[in-house]
Amino acid sequence: MRQKLIAGNWKMNGSRSFNANWVKGFNEAMSQCVTQSQAAVMVCVPSPYLSQMSDLLKGSQLALGAQDVSAFDKGAYTGEVSLSMLEDLGAQAVIIGHSERRAYHAENDAMVAKKVKATISSSLMPIVCLGETQEQRLAGQTQSVIATQLKAVMDVLDPDFERLVVAYEPVWAIGTGLTASPEQAQEVHAFIREQLSQKTRHANALKILYGGSMNAQNASSLLSQPDVDGGLIGGASLVTQDFVKIILAAGI
Ligand code: 13P
């Protein structure tokens, strides 16, 4: 039985005061819950706020993640943030290859693979994002797109590596209010697990998250699918009441 993981991706949102209020609101909303969720919970925040969030989350069950990392160790890479810096700031995970980085920052499969490879030798958990565009889905290319994106990652993967998390994030569902149906998500998740089993010994234990307009209303039907092991939540993770509802949906 895989423990579910609900991870918020704040994207480029937050401020020192927003962050403090969010943690306060989150703790209040969690303390008012009658039932406890069994899910692991994480929030991935912009790098400049990792240090503040790490302090705010001391003693809490909420894990902390970053949204990107440099593929390089250190040196003359202006603007980049290294793995050791993320570790130093208290991050336990990092999102790699989000479709917004692929679309707006020209990240390709080779770059994603380099970042995954570097992360594997750190203490961080890589959360690798994959997903097809609307055109690719309509053209019947969903599986081939996912297989190509995943192969680049599997090529650098040690078969014994256990910390990999994959997030299926159909590009057409991100921030659009359109969501993959539970059946569509399950079909792709099962495909990803089958592909992973060709390389890793732990395909049945690895978590595959769904991301793309997951919210308090649709979370439980998506999370009840056998291969949907949690969610990577954008917009709804900024609203603590909604985020907590999704966490509760994962625990039942
Ligand atoms: P939304 O939940 O806002 O659609 O974003 C999903 C996402 O991109 C998470 O990484």
Side-chain angles (χ1 to χ4, degrees):
M1 179 76 175
R2 293 177 293 268
Q3 183 192 27
K4 294 230 185 325
L5 170 62
I6 300 298
N9 173 10
W10 281 5
K11 308 193 178 185
M12 200 170 66
N13 293 290
S15 66
R16 288 182 64 81
S17 62
F18 172 91
N19 308 345
N21 280 330
W22 187 96
V23 174
K24 191 163 169 275
F26 177 81
N27 288 338
E28 276 167 14
M30 285 302 266
S31 69
Q32 283 160 13
C33 295
V34 189
T35 49
Q36 292 292 310
S37 170
Q38 303 302 313
V41 185
M42 175 185 293
V43 63
C44 300
V45 306
S47 294
Y49 296 130
L50 283 168
S51 176
Q52 180 201 13
M53 288 296 283
S54 173
D55 287 344
L56 287 168
L57 297 178
K58 277 217 170 74
S60 96
Q61 296 296 312
L62 202 60
L64 186 61
Q67 300 173 9
D68 182 37
V69 68
S70 174
F72 304 104
D73 260 6
K74 63 175 177 176
Y77 302 102
T78 302
E80 293 274 81
V81 177
S82 73
L83 277 162
S84 60
M85 290 172 189
L86 297 184
E87 285 172 331
D88 200 22
L89 293 172
Q92 292 141 283
V94 59
I95 297 172
I96 298 175
H98 192 282
S99 63
E100 287 151 13
R101 294 213 57 86
R102 293 178 191 255
Y104 310 137
H105 301 274
E107 276 195 23
N108 56 21
D109 290 339
M111 177 57 69
V112 171
K114 269 192 191 163
K115 292 183 175 191
V116 173
K117 188 167 184 221
T119 305
I120 285 172
S121 49
S122 76
S123 65
L124 299 189
M125 168 196 284
I127 303 176
V128 181
C129 300
L130 318 168
E132 82 287 4
T133 63
Q134 176 83 296
E135 296 71 40
Q136 290 164 334
R137 176 162 278 268
L138 292 176
Q141 295 166 347
T142 300
Q143 290 200 348
S144 64
V145 169
I146 300 280
T148 305
Q149 292 173 339
L150 196 53
K151 182 174 182 308
V153 173
M154 292 198 302
D155 283 349
V156 299
L157 203 63
D158 180 322
D160 284 321
F161 185 68
E162 289 178 281
R163 268 181 290 124
L164 178 73
V165 174
V166 175
Y168 170 52
E169 297 212 316
V171 178
W172 48 272
I174 295 176
T176 58
L178 297 172
T179 319
S181 68
E183 296 73 24
Q184 283 173 325
Q186 170 56 28
E187 190 182 356
V188 178
H189 283 227
F191 176 73
I192 292 172
R193 201 177 301 286
E194 185 275 319
Q195 296 284 299
L196 284 169
S197 71
Q198 296 180 20
K199 177 72 196 246
T200 154
R201 280 190 254 288
H202 303 288
N204 279 327
L206 297 184
K207 292 189 209 310
I208 306 174
L209 312 183
Y210 169 81
S213 298
M214 189 184 270
N215 58 37
Q217 286 72 45
N218 60 30
S220 65
S221 59
L222 286 158
L223 293 167
S224 63
Q225 296 300 309
D227 286 294
V228 178
D229 306 317
L232 188 54
I233 328 290
S237 73
L238 294 166
V239 183
T240 50
Q241 303 282 351
D242 291 350
F243 193 49
V244 168
K245 282 187 191 148
I246 297 172
I247 294 165
L248 289 179
I252 48 174

